[in-house]
Structures are given as structure tokens and as C-alpha cells.
Amino acid sequence: MWVHRRPSWHLKESAATAEAAYLNRRELIAGLAAGSILAASGTAQAQRVSDDPSAKLYPLKRNEAFVLDRALTDEKEATTYNNFYEYGTSKSIVKAAEQLKIRPWTLKISGMVEKPFEIGVDDLLAKMPLEERLYRHRCVEAWSMAVPWSGFALKALVDLAKPLGSAKYVVMKTFNDPSMASGQKAFFYPWPYTEGLTIAEAGNDLAFIGTGIYGKPMPKQNGAPLRLVVPWKYGFKSVKSIVSLEFSDKRPKTFWEGLQESEYGFWANVNPNVPHPRWSQEFERVLGTNERVPTKLFNGYGEQVAELYKGLEKERLWA
Ligand code: MTE
């Protein structure tokens, strides 16, 4: 299994400062969870931590097998510069996303499985092997970040769902409720936001369900309480606020394919050599810095995922 090897994109010393700063933040959060500082802190961040019933689970133990080649993105950047069309098309949707109600939250498992079922998010969290991972994230818009996600391997959820051998895809959907997401009143978008992976992709070690970030529960704007994280693909594959997983033998039409098929496809693997029809994918702007760095094939995760695409060369794998 790849996680026992030291991958090529291992942490450089230049990343160490931000890492150390982040570790200090983790200690601070542990203090918050213990209630020692919470009363004194009037910040919205602390409020968010205390509001979420899963807060006591964080911070999680980091899985050291997942490392970065760059500094972590500043928490404020990663949690205030967002794409979440349900709450608007700008990057500043934090305020609007406060409307998202994250409890009760039920995940529905259906389609080609042994037995369909529903499970509440807190029961699910109690069953899953929770851990923290450092991942890069590359948006198709040519910006990127590097963040500590909390959550669990998607494979653990697939195993819980018990798909039939005939299932080929797992289809994931966001809620559809214009009363708590005014963006969903815009009729020309193909709501609900829908994404999908092949069963093989979903079983890859890197495929992850994010339940938190920076050692705390997932902020609403980042896709609370459950979001997909697939770092070798463009960010739009990482569907937020998931309410259902359906196993199917048919490839789903995804949200962005439904909107603009000529620009966005099903596979959407990161490739600097295949430009978006309207811009180059060669470089990326690193969020919170003035840096522009070269983009890597599969966002640097080729060692772990290239195998998944053998024999699929005729497919539109890259956008
Ligand atoms: N999921 C939903 N439901 N709605 C969205 O608009 N945007 C996608 C993805 N998941 C999106 C979504 C895009 S384009 C990106 S780049 C990432 O979420 C952004 O995640 P972040 O805001 O946590 O950085």
C-alpha cells in the first residue's frame, strides 16, 4: 500500500514554519474543547466550535502518511474564500452559508447496495475511522490551497454501504432546499449539486470524506457536515454538504456537466498540459500568497492514482 512509502511530494523544510504555527493552533483548539479558553474567547470561530455537536471529536490524530510539498494555507484564507454556488457565485459566501442547518443531518445510502439505509451524521462519525490528513486542493479556476482535513476514508463508507458487484459508480448529492440556500432559487442551475466517482476511484486511499478542517468541525461555507475530498481532481468534484450516496451502473451527469459540458467533464483529473477552453492550467495561484507555481499532473498524486486510468486513455480524463 502506497502510504508506507515516502512520496515524491514530501514536506520541504520551507513548509515547516507554517506547520509549527498550525500545531500551536491545534493545542489552542484542544484547550477550547476542554472549555478552558472558550468562555474568554468571543470570536465567531469559537462560537462555531461550541455550536457543532461533533466539536468534542476534534482535533483528530494526524495520519502522517499524507504529507505536503508546501506550506499550509492560512486558515482564514481557506475558510473565507469559497465556492458554494448554493450560497452565491462570489467567493464571499460565509455570511449566506450561515443559513445551512447542519443538524439533524441524514445521509441516505441507496441504489445497488445489499440493503438501502439512512444514517444520522453523528452515528456515522461514531462508526468511521476518523483521522486528519494534509492535502493539496487545486481548483479548476487555477488557484490552490493546502489544508488539514479531518474525516475518514471514503472506502470505509463504501464498505458500510455494501454495494453490489454490479455497481460501477457512486453518485453523491448535496441537499436541495431553496429555503436554506437562496442560490438554489436560480432555476437555470441543475440542482442538486451532483458528483460521482467510479467504485475504483472511491476505493482509492486518497478519496476522503471531510468532516472538519484545521482541527475543528467543518465550517458551513466549506461544506459541513460531510464533503468529498479528492485531491487529484479539480476542486469542483469535491461536492459539499452531502445528503446521499447512490450506487449505480450508470455514470451520472454531474452539476458542471449539466451546466457546461463543453468545459467540464466527469473525470476532471488535474493536468497542466490540457488547458481549460478559456485559460491555461499550467500554473496555479497559491491562496494567501503572491506565489504562482507550476501545476502538477494529478495535482502531484500520480503515484497513487495513475493506475486507476489505465485502459481509459480514450476518455476525456482531464477536464
Ligand atoms: N459543492 C457544492 N455543493 N456547491 C459548490 O458550488 N463548489 C466546488 C466544490 N464543491 C461547490 C461544491 C468547487 S468549484 C470547489 S473549488 C470546492 O467545492 C471549493 O471548496 P472550498 O470552498 O472548501 O475551498
Side-chain angles (χ1 to χ4, degrees), residues 114-260:
E114 280 182 20
K115 197 169 177 231
F117 63 94
E118 293 189 357
I119 185 166
V121 66
D122 295 302
D123 291 339
L124 180 68
L125 292 178
K127 278 183 198 287
M128 292 291 107
L130 301 177
E131 62 182 39
E132 181 181 78
R133 296 182 181 187
L134 306 184
Y135 275 176
R136 294 155 50 150
H137 174 100
R138 169 62 157 83
C139 179
V140 74
E141 297 163 340
W143 57 265
S144 70
M145 60 183 185
V147 295
W149 297 109
S150 304
F152 52 87
L154 174 57
K155 184 170 188 310
L157 180 53
V158 172
D159 289 347
L160 185 74
K162 298 195 176 70
L164 302 178
S166 46
K168 293 196 177 102
Y169 299 94
V170 52
V171 184
M172 286 162 261
K173 290 188 181 164
T174 299
F175 64 85
N176 192 4
D177 182 353
S179 73
M180 69 170 181
S182 60
Q184 292 185 325
K185 290 181 184 152
F187 62 88
F188 45 86
Y189 288 108
W191 309 113
Y193 198 101
T194 300
E195 261 306 338
L197 297 174
T198 63
I199 297 287
E201 288 177 322
N204 186 274
D205 280 336
L206 284 174
F208 197 64
I209 294 289
T211 63
I213 191 170
Y214 295 94
K216 286 169 274 188
M218 193 70 79
K220 293 179 178 182
Q221 64 271 21
N222 290 93
L226 302 167
R227 65 153 313 153
L228 182 64
V229 184
V230 276
W232 71 99
K233 292 180 177 281
Y234 289 115
F236 66 83
K237 292 292 293 182
S238 290
V239 46
K240 293 179 168 180
S241 304
I242 300 170
V243 292
S244 69
L245 252 65
E246 184 190 349
F247 291 82
S248 174
D249 56 0
K250 287 179 195 61
R251 187 189 293 183
K253 184 141 190 143
T254 65
F255 179 82
W256 284 101
E257 278 181 302
L259 207 55
Q260 198 132 352

Side-chain angles (χ1 to χ4, degrees), residues 33-52:
S36 58
I37 308 173
L38 186 59
S41 162
T43 65
Q45 196 73 317
Q47 187 60 43
R48 176 170 75 67
V49 169
S50 65
D51 280 355
D52 192 307

Side-chain angles (χ1 to χ4, degrees), residues 287-314:
L287 222 58
T289 74
N290 292 321
E291 279 178 69
R292 210 169 145 261
V293 301
T295 287
K296 295 181 179 172
L297 187 63
F298 291 114
N299 199 21
Y301 295 101
E303 232 174 277
Q304 291 76 47
V305 298
E307 197 68 26
L308 291 168
Y309 306 101
K310 291 252 163 76
L312 293 171
E313 291 78 8
K314 290 211 173 89

